[in-house]
């Protein structure tokens, strides 16, 4: 199992969710986050310490999926979330060691 962590522009949430539904992915966790990429990492000195300013609001999507769905999921997210302008976001893929569905006790891909 893999986890996709996608940082997207907030107004793209519905499009991304619809695109994932279309390929059979139905669960996700969404968190409001703030961040910056290459353009917004200004640093500012304040009382001798360096502070980062200009965090922008983004949404973080966490999606647990079977390994064979990773590529279609990435493609769906890109197609739905891309505007072509800066700040479109990023996708990170990590390993998931185990998944347990609390209600039934199912584990692994059965639990997704
Ligand atoms: N290296 C990173 N590590 C963790 N989060 C990141 C990283 N880069 C970007 N992000 C997150 O993704 C959000 C969007 O990043 P963004 O799309 O601006 O990346 P970028 O590399 O600057 O690309 P672009 O040039 O298209 O803007 C950031 O606000 C931040 O939350
Ligand atoms: Mg950027």
């Amino acid at each position: 199992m893999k986890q996709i962590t996608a940082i997207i522009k907030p107004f793209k949430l519905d499009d991304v969710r619809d695109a994932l539904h279309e390929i059979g992915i139905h669960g996700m966790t969404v968190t409001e986050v703030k961040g910056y990429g290459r353009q917004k990492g200004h640093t500012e000195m304040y009382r001798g310490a360096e502070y980062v300013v200009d965090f922008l609001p983004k949404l973080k999507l966490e999606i647990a999926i079977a390994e064979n769905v990773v590529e279609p999921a990435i493609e769906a997210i890109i197609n739905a979330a891309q505007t072509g302008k800066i700040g479109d976001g990023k996708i990170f893929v990590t390993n998931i060691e185990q998944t347990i569905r609390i209600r039934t006790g199912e584990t692994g891909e059965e639990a997704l």
Side-chain angles (χ1 to χ4, degrees):
M1 289 162 289
K2 297 279 186 182
Q3 174 161 300
I4 289 183
T5 303
I7 312 294
I8 63 167
K9 289 179 170 168
F11 78 95
K12 284 293 193 178
L13 178 62
D14 286 347
D15 289 346
V16 170
R17 185 183 49 187
D18 291 348
L20 290 171
H21 274 198
E22 274 175 26
I23 58 168
I25 296 171
H26 297 295
M28 70 165 68
T29 301
V30 181
T31 313
E32 292 180 8
V33 295
K34 290 181 176 177
Y36 63 87
R38 297 184 185 201
Q39 293 83 14
K40 292 293 180 180
H42 309 306
T43 55
E44 200 169 86
M45 295 296 288
Y46 178 69
R47 295 189 173 172
E50 211 172 44
Y51 287 84
V52 176
V53 296
D54 278 357
F55 289 95
L56 293 174
K58 302 284 175 184
L59 292 182
K60 179 171 77 171
L61 316 184
E62 292 167 306
I63 307 149
I65 51 176
E67 200 152 343
N68 63 355
V69 192
V70 170
E71 287 309 319
I74 289 172
E75 201 177 317
I77 293 168
I78 291 173
N79 284 338
Q82 193 176 66
T83 69
K85 305 228 170 71
I86 59 170
D88 273 352
K90 244 158 230 192
I91 298 170
F92 306 100
V93 181
T94 51
N95 287 314
I96 291 180
E97 296 233 343
Q98 183 59 291
T99 301
I100 300 107
R101 189 178 192 189
I102 292 175
R103 177 169 64 84
T104 59
E106 291 162 288
T107 59
E109 289 185 12
E110 304 287 305
L112 290 174

